[in-house]
Amino acid sequence: MVGSGPNGMSAAVTMARAGLSVRVYERNPTIGGGARTMELTLPGFWHDICSAVHPMALASGFFRSFELEKRIDLVVPELSYGHPLDGGRAGLAWHDLDRTADDLGVDGRAWDGFFRPLVERAHEVAQFSGSNILQVPRHPLTIARMGMRILEQGSPAWNLRFRGEEAPAMLTGVNAHAIRRMPSLSTAAAGIVLAVHGHARGWPVPIGGSQAIIDAMADDLRAHGGEIVTDTEITSLAELPPARAVILDTSAKALGQIARDVLPDRYLKALDRFSYGNAIAKVDYALSAPVPWANEHLRTTGTLHLGGSRAELAASEAEVAAGRHPASPYVLVSQPSAFDPSRAPEGKHVLWAYTHVPAGSTVDCREAITAQIERFAPGFRDTILASASQNAVEVELHNPNYVGGDIAAGEPSIRQLIARPTLSTDPWRTPTDGIYLCSSSTPPGPGVHGLAGYYAARSALRHEFGMTPPNLRRT
Ligand SMILES: Cc1cc2nc3c(=O)[nH]c(=O)nc-3n(C[C@H](O)[C@H](O)[C@H](O)COP(=O)(O)OP(=O)(O)OC[C@H]3O[C@@H](n4cnc5c(N)ncnc54)[C@H](O)[C@@H]3O)c2cc1C
């Protein structure tokens, strides 16, 4: 294994559980890739370096088989996400769909009608969104329902359903996770899946931070004989010991570099054509007090989407798509210490926030992010004890999977959700025997779900060892 992100670790666990001898090489001093927790600002303040909120922790088929819920503590906030608007108003996406519809007033029925048919079949939505889209859908009716809603919210017709400001802003806030111009089919697809999870099993936050998810996999790997070697960057296959299978949790671009000597030219050209999207810039704060959100409900939500109305968010994402830094940016916020006191000293808090920027940006977004939070939480600045800022280039330096600061490791366009990184019913397997790719440059794409790693390992077990997938349950 090359790389110890959630997909590298899920692949490693699966191979070790099958009885194989597994070694993981990780370039960084600590394991976890996009799921790590560290003291970034002040002693005693534990920040999630990348992922913070885990809609897939309960919905992913891999984590369900691995029984993640029995291995770590996950808190499911009553409010999955909140969307502040000026004047102390807010759109509130409760875990409870009924309560959300009640709160939305004029748009309550529209919200309910849009989501209920999918929330009632959330496991079918998760099965489809967590698979390779090229596979024959197992639940065509649910996929058709989802497709109709994606067409509506991914097209200029997206305003026809709603009359108020809160509901469309809420939906735009989740769609914007995909870091692309809106409305578009890919942003609507990402947003609808996330929003369905928000009302189905919720958006959990792991006690102790995202690192807890990785540590659970590392414990299982070691218990089944696996080894992890840190501080070791692999730049060529020649640096690895002989192995019947090499599974890379790297970007598609790095696969092309590391395995250049053994991959066929046409495949290398396809990897070169795989494109990377726009980026993020992040700020982590240590706070003396909870964020003083103008809308009190927002003090108990796990995740917030800032930036104002649907029109404002669409305008700011269009700026990023055009290669500019918006004056009033979209900001994604997570406040884990509202649910997990272990993240900060007593009475104090950590806050995680990022914004969208053009790929390869070197702009420090600390002030832009702080100003956007202050807009909806007057007095926020007075609570800041310390902050740590990362621009898009630093995000990539930290983890080369995030090419140019693209945290999806490949633009999540419709074309690249179908051909990820190439068009294949087994996209984890390269044309060269024994070489596999398992990162989020493969289906089902970005997010902490471990599914790409699990699928790559399943393919390697079948093709290299003639084995079937092992039992992953906690023993
Ligand atoms: C700021 C940020 C916020 C995010 N927020 C969320 C969130 O809230 N929820 C969510 O679900 N997802 C979130 N994500 C996305 C999520 O973290 C990723 O989609 C996920 O971690 C991808 O997992 P992976 O295993 O494919 O790759 P990664 O997690 O990127 O891991 C790849 C690993 O491989 C190592 N590596 C790479 N190349 C080499 C090499 N040549 N030799 C040795 N080691 C190598 C890297 O150092 C890294 O440890 C976020 C990402 C970022 C950056």
Side-chain angles (χ1 to χ4, degrees):
M1 296 295 320
V2 179
S4 68
N7 286 315
M9 294 305 289
S10 62
V13 162
T14 307
M15 301 300 271
R17 282 293 192 112
L20 300 170
S21 156
V22 178
R23 187 180 297 159
V24 180
Y25 292 92
E26 168 55 52
R27 70 189 283 277
N28 282 329
T30 58
I31 60 167
R36 274 175 307 150
T37 309
M38 293 174 86
E39 281 174 312
L40 280 180
T41 52
L42 298 173
F45 290 82
W46 292 91
H47 303 274
D48 285 319
I49 312 261
C50 299
S51 60
V53 181
H54 293 279
M56 295 300 287
L58 297 173
S60 145
F62 169 75
F63 284 138
R64 284 208 314 275
S65 304
F66 183 65
E67 300 184 321
L68 184 68
E69 259 181 286
K70 292 189 184 164
R71 298 172 190 251
I72 66 169
D73 292 323
L74 292 158
V75 186
V76 179
E78 264 190 82
L79 255 174
S80 293
Y81 55 96
H83 193 116
L85 293 166
D86 291 325
R89 292 169 304 138
L92 303 173
W94 298 95
H95 182 190
D96 181 346
L97 177 58
D98 290 330
R99 190 170 177 187
T100 309
D102 286 349
D103 272 7
L104 277 173
V106 66
D107 282 329
R109 282 186 64 176
W111 187 272
D112 189 83
F114 190 85
F115 281 111
R116 189 169 298 279
L118 298 180
V119 171
E120 283 172 351
R121 295 163 189 83
H123 61 286
E124 297 176 8
V125 172
Q127 190 281 324
F128 178 70
S129 61
S131 64
N132 178 9
I133 293 177
L134 281 188
Q135 282 158 6
V136 180
R138 274 201 237 156
H139 308 287
L141 193 60
T142 300
I143 306 319
R145 285 193 172 110
M146 194 161 82
M148 278 160 49
R149 286 161 173 77
I150 291 171
L151 282 177
E152 176 196 303
Q153 286 302 311
S155 74
W158 71 335
N159 282 323
L160 295 181
R161 177 176 291 266
F162 301 115
R163 286 185 282 161
E165 204 177 348
E166 282 83 354
M170 280 158 70
L171 201 39
T172 316
V174 273
N175 292 355
H177 280 235
I179 323 189
R180 305 197 77 225
R181 199 183 284 278
M182 297 181 289
S184 75
L185 297 179
S186 57
T187 54
I192 289 169
V193 169
L194 283 170
V196 167
H197 291 323
H199 292 307
R201 303 212 55 192
W203 284 12
V205 174
I207 297 290
S210 299
Q211 188 76 52
I213 298 176
I214 293 297
D215 290 349
M217 291 197 272
D219 288 349
D220 195 272
L221 173 65
R222 292 191 180 106
H224 292 86
E227 289 172 63
I228 304 175
V229 180
T230 53
D231 291 302
T232 306
E233 176 148 18
I234 302 301
T235 59
S236 153
L237 290 180
E239 293 161 13
L240 295 170
R244 279 173 67 187
V246 176
I247 307 182
L248 294 105
D249 185 17
T250 66
S251 67
K253 181 180 167 190
L255 165 70
Q257 291 158 350
I258 294 170
R260 180 154 294 273
D261 295 343
V262 300
L263 293 173
D265 276 353
R266 66 183 159 75
Y267 186 74
L268 287 170
K269 283 196 184 114
L271 294 182
D272 282 346
R273 281 195 300 273
F274 189 68
S275 66
Y276 296 85
N278 280 316
I280 65 115
K282 181 164 182 268
V283 182
D284 287 285
Y285 300 91
L287 305 179
S288 61
V291 181
W293 299 109
N295 184 298
E296 293 230 348
H297 284 301
L298 298 179
R299 299 179 185 190
T300 55
T301 178
T303 304
L304 297 100
H305 302 130
L306 313 187
S309 66
R310 164 169 274 185
E312 280 179 89
L313 293 187
S316 67
E317 290 299 283
E319 285 284 286
V320 176
R324 293 188 289 268
H325 294 80
S328 174
Y330 170 76
V331 176
L332 190 51
V333 174
S334 161
Q335 39 188 17
S337 51
F339 310 94
D340 176 6
S342 75
R343 304 287 183 95
E346 204 181 333
K348 312 267 192 302
H349 286 269
V350 289
L351 194 76
W352 168 110
Y354 72 66
T355 188
H356 296 164
V357 291
S361 164
T362 53
V363 172
D364 180 344
C365 291
R366 194 189 315 246
E367 177 48 32
I369 291 176
T370 304
Q372 195 66 287
I373 300 174
E374 180 79 22
R375 170 179 168 192
F376 300 107
F380 168 64
R381 283 180 197 278
D382 301 334
T383 68
I384 302 172
L385 298 171
S387 64
S389 177
Q390 263 195 319
N391 66 34
V393 165
E394 288 161 344
V395 168
E396 180 179 6
L397 282 176
H398 210 63
N399 182 345
N401 284 35
Y402 306 139
V403 178
D406 168 12
I407 63 172
E411 192 174 20
S413 60
I414 291 292
R415 186 175 68 82
Q416 292 205 157
L417 289 175
I418 297 168
R420 197 166 184 89
T422 57
L423 195 65
S424 167
T425 50
D426 188 353
W428 308 276
R429 188 181 180 205
T430 74
T432 302
D433 284 348
I435 310 292
Y436 292 80
L437 181 65
C438 78
S439 71
S440 52
S441 293
T442 65
V448 175
H449 41 61
L451 284 165
Y454 177 58
Y455 297 144
R458 255 184 9 184
S459 180
L461 285 174
R462 177 162 160 234
H463 292 105
E464 311 302 328
F465 302 93
M467 294 167 107
T468 51
N471 174 5
L472 297 171
R473 280 201 295 277
R474 191 165 162 238
T475 43

